[in-house]
Amino acid sequence: MPDPRSSSGAPGRSLLRVAFPNSDPENPIHWVLPSRLHAVETVFAMTVHKSQGSEFQHIALLLPQTPNPILTRELVYTGIPPPAPGLR
């Protein structure tokens, strides 16, 4: 995502940055250069059922803010697998 606050020196060009939400109300977005994310492995979103049987070090399960009839306890259980051996 281009950081609208900075430019690469050329008119009309933005410097590529990665945006993270920030808890500071004065600066709600924390901008980082992609080159500073060397320890991050790029992955793509995956459905709960496709992730079954996979092992991950970190999981983010995004849930709707309003009740949804297909969101069941079983679906959440499927989406948050037990940690791999050696992980806490």
Side-chain angles (χ1 to χ4, degrees):
M1 168 177 254
D3 181 350
R5 298 173 303 145
S6 61
S7 68
S8 61
R13 290 190 61 186
S14 294
L15 182 62
L16 183 65
R17 301 246 178 161
V18 180
F20 290 98
N22 196 353
S23 60
D24 180 4
E26 295 289 319
N27 296 305
I29 298 175
H30 178 70
W31 297 95
V32 179
L33 291 170
S35 60
R36 297 201 55 206
L37 300 175
H38 56 83
V40 175
E41 181 180 340
T42 302
V43 297
F44 296 94
M46 152 182 313
T47 66
V48 167
H49 291 95
K50 185 163 177 88
S51 69
Q52 261 185 303
S54 300
E55 292 181 351
F56 303 98
Q57 288 186 342
H58 303 281
I59 297 171
L61 181 60
L62 303 178
L63 301 173
Q65 292 182 359
T66 57
N68 190 311
I70 65 168
L71 181 61
T72 63
R73 178 181 303 154
E74 292 81 11
L75 187 70
V76 173
Y77 180 81
T78 302
I80 305 176
L87 295 178
R88 292 190 263 147

